[in-house]
Each structure stands twice: as C-alpha cells, then as structure tokens.
Amino acid sequence: MDGRAAENVERASLGLALLLYDSPVSGNCYKVRLLLAHLGIPYERQTMDVVDRSNRREVLGELNPALRVPTLVLDDGRPLAESGAIVWYLGEGTRFVPGDAYERAQVLQWMFFEQYDHEPAIAVVRFWLAYSGRPQEEFADRLDERRAAGYRALDAMERGLGERTWFVGDGMTLADIVLYAYTHVAHEGGFDLGGYPAINAWLDRVAGERSHVPIDA
C-alpha cells in the first residue's frame, strides 16, 4: 500500500468526511459539489489544477487510473471516479433519482447525452477560450465545429424541455444537475443563450432551489 492509499485508509478509520479531488472551474467537479450541497453532506476538498497536471499521477495514481477530477474518496476510504458515476452513487435513494424505472432510465438518457454531446462541445470551447491560457488561434481549425456542436446540444435541450419545468418528472433530478453545470457558464465559451427561453427559465429554477450553491462557492 502506497502513502496515498494508506492516508485514505487512515482517514476512514478516523471517521473523516468524504474527500473530493476537485477543480473550482470544472463543471464536472461542480456537479458533485452541487449535489453534495443539496444533500447536505459534508466533505473536504483538495484542489487540482486543470491546466498544470504534472502532479496528477502522484496524487491520483492509486485512486483514479484516468488521473482526472472529480475523484471522490468515500468515508470508508474507497475511491470513485467520473462525475456521472459519483452523482449516481450519491443520488441513489434520494429525490434526485426517481423511483420509477422508466424515469430513472430517462435521467440516465440525459446524463449520457450530457457526456456524449453537450460536454464535449460546450465545456471544451469554454476551456479553450477561458481557462487554457492558450491563444484562440491554436483552436481556430476546430472552434467553429465545436461551437456548432454545442448549439445542437442546446437545441436538443430546448426541445426536451418544451413546456416542462424539469427534464424528467415533476422535480429536480440528476439530469438537471449535470446539464446545469456547463450550460449556466456556456457564455464563457461564447455561446449565446438568448434564443433559448425554456433553457433560461430552467436555469433560473435550478439557481432558485434551496441549498443551491454557485460554481465559485
């Protein structure tokens, strides 16, 4: 057992809180923090740099083979990676995962959409332009295509919401949490949400929920 693993076992034996390896600007990390806030679960944070990843193997090597954040260490010392897996684990048995099997599948449908269509476009363009520290010219040959993909994802969300209050069922679910994370900061990637009335009303509803925390909290 290496030092990092031994440290996590020791934390568990002392009954310490969840430990989240986290980036303050990452929407994927924010999904976890937002759900934890709604659930009222205490946790500790260790901040990781999203640009300088030189210490990822040292810090996360025994916890997450992909060396990505978020990575969560449970209160019993076991690690869990990937934002979708983490929020599903935390959300099971709560109001954020419906009891009906079909509605649960719909939540997963939107979560898969977010990771396959939404995040690879909106989150990537946001990172390139706002956080990479690199000139826009480096991305010029890919920017238009990624931005177009982002608008296609927003179009799908607008259609999916329609006259609905939430994406699935009659209340906020994990689908809303994961889609909110990068949608509400899409403007940082130059996306104009002015033509999406259903999305904008939904964004306001999510932000107005009790226990909501902003991404920079």
Side-chain angles (χ1 to χ4, degrees), residues 151 154 158 187 191-200 203:
Y151 280 116
L154 292 169
E158 185 76 7
H187 63 277
F191 292 95
D192 180 5
L193 299 185
Y196 297 97
I199 288 177
N200 280 294
L203 288 173

Side-chain angles (χ1 to χ4, degrees), residues 40-155:
I41 298 176
Y43 65 99
E44 301 172 18
R45 293 170 67 176
Q46 180 163 328
T47 298
M48 308 289 291
D49 196 311
V50 293
V51 177
D52 178 6
R53 304 187 178 204
S54 58
N55 68 337
R56 290 289 180 95
R57 185 170 298 280
E58 172 191 352
V59 176
L60 298 177
E62 295 299 315
L63 303 174
N64 179 355
L67 306 179
R68 285 197 295 262
V69 291
T71 296
L72 184 68
V73 178
L74 304 177
D75 50 11
D76 61 6
R78 292 178 297 169
L80 187 61
E82 300 299 331
S83 60
I86 294 170
V87 298
W88 190 265
Y89 175 85
L90 295 171
E92 275 203 301
T94 75
R95 67 185 178 96
F96 296 100
V97 176
D100 177 75
Y102 179 70
E103 289 191 346
R104 284 200 305 277
Q106 287 184 304
V107 170
L108 288 169
Q109 169 189 312
W110 283 112
M111 291 176 69
F112 296 154
F113 162 83
E114 191 272 340
Q115 285 288 282
Y116 186 77
D117 289 307
H118 184 282
E119 194 266 1
I122 293 175
V124 167
V125 174
R126 171 181 178 257
F127 175 75
W128 284 348
L129 299 185
Y131 296 103
S132 71
R134 294 153 61 187
Q136 184 172 327
E137 291 72 23
E138 289 193 24
F139 315 112
D141 61 335
R142 292 171 286 169
L143 192 55
D144 287 348
E145 184 273 331
R146 286 292 83 199
R147 190 166 278 151
Y151 280 116
R152 287 195 297 273
L154 292 169
D155 291 344

